[in-house]
Amino acid sequence: KAKRGGRATYRFFSADIDKLAEERLMHSTALREAIASEALTLHYQPQIRTRDGAIHGVEALARWHDPVLGEVSPSKFIPLAEECGLIEQIGVWSIKLACQQMASWRRARLDIPCISVNLSPINFQNVNLAAMVAQILAANDLPAKMLMLEITEGVILNERATVIATMNELRNMGVGLSLDDFGTGYSSLSRLAQLPIDELKIDRSFMRDFENDNGTRAIVTAVVRVGQSLDVAVVAEGVETEPQRRLLAELGCDAMQGFLFARPMAASAFSRWLLDYSAHRASLMLRQVGRAL
Ligand code: C2E
Ligand code: MG
Ligand code: MG
Ligand code: MG
């Protein structure tokens, strides 16, 4: 009886796997074409400095619109790209496009201190990464400090000498390094102190229970303190509500990012948002000065 069940299960799985493999092949072909065309783009989400509401930076997030599949989330296609050998290309593509965009915003005199680009741990295993980044920065006439590269905590977990060497190389060039989704992995605090990083991003899963759960609040408080004592900027992601913002401000979290401020937007929408935001902020400050007089 068990045997028959087993075989049936096997057949079921086998058909399932064929279908999955077929789907994966189809999607990886579509993704390959998307990289070559305009189908892959970057959207931009602002990061707000807590102290005074100034722009801390902007994060570039990949977007894929496929004519058949529709909008495919990066949490789907990035793992696919890692599996089918396309992540190298996506890494270079995103750094290039983000730097071109940043250069064009600079020419337009938009005041954005820094652009953050997400990279996969695999990208940090490439010994040519730092040289490639240097070339892209030079081609766009951008100072290295205007680029921040985000790495997930996982990069540390399956740590390899090449990854740390590449991180040090980038940091020596003046490129910033940010530890993304912090708190979801297992990196120890002692390890953290040794890492060449400039910024910590508190994972957005902590925001959900932040207001009501004392445990979550204790963790977020501790992360902010650790950042302060290691002289690493702390950015909270996924900030959606005013009470969350207020609490983070009280804790002294350096910067925030989330739907409360703005969703990730196409480049042109981001420029418009920034102009509106800056004008609004300037008029608020004028009113404050007026009240003080
Ligand atoms: P991430 O780097 O942690 O990016 C933050 C994610 O949270 C983004 O999802 C963003 O749209 C979303 N988000 C921002 N504010 C809020 C909020 O207030 N509430 C909620 N619920 N979500 C918010 P997205 O764009 O879907 O990206 C998912 C992940 O895919 C990213 O997480 C990043 O790990 C990865 N990813 C995105 N673009 C790239 C890329 O170009 N290269 C690589 N390697 N990974 C990328
Ligand atoms: Mg990120
Ligand atoms: Mg994150
Ligand atoms: Mg994330």
Side-chain angles (χ1 to χ4, degrees):
K1 199 179 178 187
K3 228 175 180 176
R4 235 181 47 212
R7 223 175 287 139
T9 309
Y10 169 74
R11 235 181 283 124
F12 170 75
F13 272 126
S14 158
D16 224 36
I17 286 166
D18 280 352
K19 196 170 162 281
L20 273 177
E22 202 179 296
E23 218 174 70
R24 185 162 305 160
L25 182 66
M26 190 184 93
H27 291 175
S28 66
T29 306
L31 181 57
R32 196 166 280 124
E33 284 165 7
I35 297 170
S37 69
E38 298 278 278
L40 213 62
T41 56
L42 289 177
H43 277 194
Y44 303 90
Q45 188 179 34
Q47 301 170 326
I48 309 296
R49 195 161 69 191
T50 311
R51 174 157 53 86
D52 57 1
I55 299 296
H56 171 83
V58 57
E59 180 175 10
L61 294 153
R63 292 290 177 266
W64 177 18
H65 178 82
D66 182 82
V68 180
L69 304 168
E71 297 296 331
V72 187
S73 159
S75 43
K76 293 237 171 67
F77 71 78
I78 294 296
L80 174 71
E82 287 171 342
E83 273 172 49
C84 64
L86 290 170
I87 200 65
E88 272 313 321
Q89 263 173 280
I90 290 187
V92 180
W93 165 85
S94 57
I95 299 169
K96 254 191 200 154
L97 185 56
C99 288
Q100 280 168 6
Q101 185 57 63
M102 194 60 174
S104 127
W105 281 332
R106 265 184 105 203
R107 284 192 297 272
R109 307 236 170 262
L110 292 187
D111 189 18
I112 308 165
C114 177
I115 191 158
S116 295
V117 176
N118 292 282
L119 288 183
S120 155
I122 298 171
N123 295 127
F124 282 86
Q125 284 165 27
N126 182 345
V127 292
N128 297 317
L129 181 67
M132 245 154 25
V133 167
Q135 200 202 325
I136 294 169
L137 288 170
N140 290 286
D141 206 12
L142 272 189
K145 68 167 197 299
M146 291 198 138
L147 178 66
M148 175 87 80
L149 298 176
E150 294 193 3
I151 334 156
T152 48
E153 213 181 338
V155 88
I156 316 309
L157 206 60
N158 43 25
E159 166 184 326
R160 302 185 186 201
T162 51
V163 170
I164 302 295
T166 302
M167 287 172 76
N168 279 317
E169 218 181 327
L170 286 161
R171 198 129 180 274
N172 291 338
M173 281 164 49
V175 173
L177 295 177
S178 174
L179 200 54
D180 203 356
D181 301 345
F182 185 74
T184 56
Y186 301 93
S187 60
S188 68
L189 290 179
S190 58
R191 199 62 204 98
L192 189 66
Q194 298 160 357
L195 284 175
I197 54 162
D198 306 275
E199 184 183 274
L200 270 183
K201 295 185 81 176
I202 304 177
D203 192 68
R204 70 166 193 259
S205 60
F206 290 103
M207 288 306 118
R208 210 176 24 230
D209 308 316
F210 184 44
E211 293 156 66
N212 307 313
D213 184 62
N214 287 335
T216 306
R217 200 184 301 188
I219 292 172
V220 174
T221 308
V223 173
V224 171
R225 295 287 168 275
V226 166
Q228 286 167 341
S229 42
L230 293 179
D231 201 19
V232 159
V234 178
V235 179
E237 56 179 18
V239 180
E240 293 183 354
T241 69
E242 179 53 31
Q244 288 169 346
R245 190 200 64 75
R246 206 175 316 123
L247 258 170
L248 288 162
E250 277 166 23
L251 292 182
C253 182
D254 298 284
M256 304 179 210
Q257 180 182 349
F259 296 168
L260 176 66
F261 306 99
R263 291 187 174 252
M265 297 165 271
S268 56
F270 180 84
S271 321
R272 282 194 301 274
W273 178 89
L274 186 60
L275 292 174
D276 275 1
Y277 179 82
S278 308
H280 180 68
R281 195 173 153 251
S283 79
L284 270 181
M285 290 196 314
L286 271 179
R287 229 179 295 159
Q288 268 164 12
V289 170
R291 262 203 300 268
L293 288 175

